[in-house]
Amino acid sequence: MTDDEPSSPPDDRLSDEAIDWIVRLRSGRASAEDRDAFAAWRSQSPEHEAAALEAESVWRGLGAAGEALPDDHGAAQADAKGVSRRKLLSLAALGAGATALAGSDWARLHLEADHATGPGGPESFTLPDGSTARLNATSAIQVAYTPFERRLTLLAGQGAFDVRPDAARPFVVDAAGGAARAFGTSFDVDIRSTEVVVTVLSGQVEVATAGATSPAGRGERIRFRAGSSPSAAETVDVEAETAWRRGKLIFNGRPLADVVAEVERHRRGRIVIANRSLAALAVTGTFDLGDGDAVLRAVEDTLPARVTRLPFLAIVS
């Protein structure tokens, strides 16, 4: 870190001030004096500069959605109701980005998938050989069986697979650049926000990615990222890792980013972590699968974060 770099993300006050400046400068009515004043504002400290960079990044991500933001009078009314300009930006970003995602990527996955689930909850499917796939909420798989191989592709989400033994045809699950291979066993594959986790419930599984392989046995898991070698097997609490199959969510020091991704599977609407420094904070607790709000309340109670709830959107900041 250089002397000019801030040691922490900008606070909410500076973030809101920076976004006010960006909205003003992009309004089409900004003067040269306004631009000079913003340059002077952002040069006050490294924290001011970080807030300015963050605001510019958010605006670029908005694209045309920024035009839908209220003018200064509308923003003042929103602030009086307790919703800051920054939250309005987050909401606009949701409309511009998440709606497109729901309308394109998820629709595409459903079209490509042989089996898929929505936010309503886990569902089990019988595969052509009598094996079963139990998909977590908001998950999708493709199935491609041949006389020589049983291959599935986990397109999104999480699945637990109970595999019927067949020495002549290995059972392979592809997921995000890696493959879990077994002949007769039970295992769980979870595509998380930053990695894929394969947990072995019984038997043996071999995970291959980036030209390397790693074996795991009962009660062990392997983690990998696309393009990287798989981790060595590590002992894990299988009951906690697969609690979703019993209607529970159990987190033991899980990063907030992973927790948010898990909760989003089971609720309608988005959860946005507005402050990047919060994403790695550890969350611990046991919750009912369908009670995502309980997780958000726990985040507020146990972490240095607050949750702003809007229609179809929760912002953790």
Side-chain angles (χ1 to χ4, degrees):
M1 179 180 296
T2 67
D3 291 339
D4 293 331
E5 291 178 331
S7 58
S8 61
D11 63 31
D12 288 344
R13 177 183 61 83
L14 291 181
S15 292
D16 284 342
E17 289 180 10
I19 285 177
D20 281 336
W21 276 112
I22 295 299
V23 171
R24 184 185 309 175
L25 296 178
R26 301 298 191 276
S27 68
R29 300 186 298 273
S31 65
E33 290 77 12
D34 288 330
R35 299 185 188 283
D36 290 342
F38 177 53
W41 180 89
R42 69 188 299 167
S43 67
Q44 291 182 53
S45 72
E47 288 75 19
H48 283 74
E49 175 65 15
L53 292 173
E54 181 186 63
E56 289 170 340
S57 176
V58 170
W59 188 271
R60 285 194 297 270
L62 278 176
E67 302 301 322
L69 289 175
D71 57 19
D72 290 341
H73 176 67
Q77 289 180 325
D79 286 338
K81 296 178 181 178
V83 182
S84 72
R85 178 68 62 86
R86 192 171 188 213
K87 296 183 182 72
L88 288 171
L89 278 167
S90 297
L91 185 57
L94 177 72
T99 299
L101 175 64
S104 59
D105 285 355
W106 188 243
R108 175 181 57 79
L109 288 178
H110 269 276
L111 289 174
E112 293 178 357
D114 292 296
H115 303 289
T117 59
E123 188 174 349
S124 294
F125 303 93
T126 301
L127 300 173
D129 66 328
S131 299
T132 61
R134 183 164 178 78
L135 297 184
N136 203 346
T138 318
S139 301
I141 57 169
Q142 287 178 328
V143 180
Y145 274 33
T146 73
F148 310 102
E149 183 182 63
R150 298 169 289 173
R151 183 173 291 271
L152 279 64
T153 300
L154 183 62
L155 300 172
Q158 182 176 17
F161 306 95
D162 293 320
V163 182
R164 294 193 65 174
D166 186 342
R169 290 198 302 169
F171 187 98
V172 181
V173 177
D174 293 319
R181 178 186 178 96
F183 285 91
T185 185
S186 298
F187 62 102
D188 182 287
V189 182
D190 185 7
I191 300 177
R192 297 183 180 176
S193 59
T194 60
E195 63 184 4
V196 179
V197 178
V198 178
T199 304
V200 183
L201 312 182
S202 66
Q204 297 280 329
V205 172
E206 182 180 76
V207 176
T209 181
T213 60
S214 185
R218 179 179 180 180
E220 295 180 327
R221 73 176 178 187
I222 293 174
R223 298 174 292 111
F224 67 87
R225 295 180 175 86
S228 300
S229 298
S231 71
E234 55 190 10
T235 302
V236 69
D237 183 347
V238 171
E239 293 301 310
E241 293 289 309
T242 62
W244 62 274
R245 301 202 301 174
R246 306 188 306 279
K248 296 290 183 180
L249 294 175
I250 300 177
F251 305 119
N252 184 13
R254 283 276 294 276
L256 179 60
D258 279 353
V259 171
V260 163
E262 177 66 37
V263 172
E264 276 193 323
R265 292 172 177 169
H266 302 279
R267 72 193 300 271
R268 299 191 182 277
R270 290 291 311 281
I271 305 172
V272 176
I273 302 177
N275 188 329
R276 289 187 299 273
S277 67
L278 299 177
L281 293 180
V283 177
T284 297
T286 300
F287 308 93
D288 289 332
L289 197 64
D291 193 359
D293 285 339
V295 181
L296 296 179
R297 289 193 297 271
V299 167
E300 288 184 293
D301 291 342
T302 61
L303 299 180
R306 66 174 181 267
V307 179
T308 301
R309 294 167 177 80
L310 298 170
F312 305 107
L313 173 67
I315 303 169
V316 183
S317 61

